[in-house]
Amino acid sequence: PNICTILDIGEADGLSFIAMELLQGESLKQRLRSGPMPVQELLAVAIDVTRALSVAHLADIIHRDITPGNIFLTDGGTAKLLDFGLAKAVVVDDDEAGDGMTDGVTDLGVIPGTVHYLAPEQLLKAPIDRRSDLWALGAVLYHAATAARPFDARTKTEVIAQILGPHVMPPRRIVPTLPEAFEQIVMRLLEP
C-alpha cells in the first residue's frame, strides 16, 4: 500500500504510456515549501516509506532515487513511494554469491538520481546495495525535519564534496526541539 500501483503499460497511437493509480494530495517536496514537518507527521511518513522500501528490498529491488519529489503524501494520510524509473534489481554475481550488491551506475555510466540525496557509494560509482536507499532516506528525513537539505551548496560539485566529506550538521542544531532519538536515527542513516 505504500508503493504507487502501476495499472497498465502499453502503447496507443504510437505513444508509450504507463497508467498508474490516481493519487490525491501533494509530494513531500511540495509540502516542504511551507517549512519543516511536525514530528508526528514526519514519523508517519518515515514509517510508510520504510515499509515501501522493505517490500522493494525483499523483492531485491533498489530504488536509487529516494527524494522528497518521489514521496507522495495522500489526502488519506498515507505516504507512497513513486517513480521506480531508476530502480535496479540486485544482481548476485556467481563469483560473489550472496553479496546482494549492484553497480551504482547505469549502463551508460551516468550516476542516476538527484545529487542531494545520493549515497556516497553512488557518487563514487561503487557497488550499491539496500543501504544506499536507506542513506537517501536519512537525507530526506533530515530535509523534512529541518526544511534544509543536509548537503546543500551552490554547485553539484560542492554538494558532492559535502556528501563525501567527514561530517553533516546534526539536525537538532537547526531545529532544537527535534527528539534526540530521531536525530540519532537520521545521523546513523547518514553514516558513510
Side-chain angles (χ1 to χ4, degrees):
N2 300 110
I3 296 175
C4 183
T5 302
I6 301 297
L7 303 171
D8 194 13
I9 299 173
E11 188 176 319
D13 298 326
L15 296 173
S16 298
F17 70 86
I18 298 175
M20 59 187 228
E21 70 179 302
L22 176 62
L23 300 173
Q24 300 293 325
E26 64 183 346
S27 71
L28 179 57
K29 180 179 180 178
Q30 291 167 316
R31 165 59 185 81
L32 290 177
R33 290 182 184 142
S34 62
M37 296 180 80
V39 173
Q40 287 306 111
E41 185 181 347
L42 175 59
L43 293 177
V45 170
I47 289 168
D48 285 351
V49 175
T50 302
R51 284 183 179 137
L53 285 175
S54 177
V55 169
H57 292 169
L58 286 172
D60 290 330
I61 297 170
I62 301 171
H63 189 281
R64 299 196 311 169
D65 196 21
I66 306 298
T67 70
N70 286 336
I71 297 171
F72 195 85
L73 310 175
T74 68
D75 287 344
T78 302
K80 293 209 174 222
L81 187 56
L82 310 176
D83 195 357
F84 279 74
L86 294 178
K88 189 161 183 139
V90 174
V91 179
V92 178
D93 187 351
D94 290 339
D95 295 335
E96 299 178 30
D99 72 355
M101 299 179 85
T102 186
D103 191 338
V105 297
T106 65
D107 293 334
L108 299 174
V110 175
I111 299 172
T114 305
V115 70
H116 295 89
Y117 306 97
L118 290 178
E121 58 272 18
Q122 286 175 281
L123 295 171
L124 296 170
K125 299 181 183 180
I128 63 169
D129 60 25
R130 294 161 182 91
R131 292 172 291 184
S132 303
D133 281 347
L134 296 178
W135 189 96
L137 177 60
V140 168
L141 294 177
Y142 185 111
H143 186 177
T146 65
R149 292 183 219 165
F151 309 99
D152 205 7
R154 291 177 299 125
T155 68
K156 286 182 180 183
T157 302
E158 291 171 328
V159 171
I160 291 168
Q162 288 178 359
I163 291 171
L164 298 177
H167 302 289
V168 62
M169 182 188 311
R172 286 172 38 100
R173 299 221 2 233
I174 300 169
V175 180
T177 57
L178 286 172
E180 190 173 333
F182 175 82
E183 179 178 82
Q184 289 172 351
I185 291 168
V186 168
M187 295 302 287
R188 183 161 182 205
L189 287 169
L190 290 174
E191 287 178 4

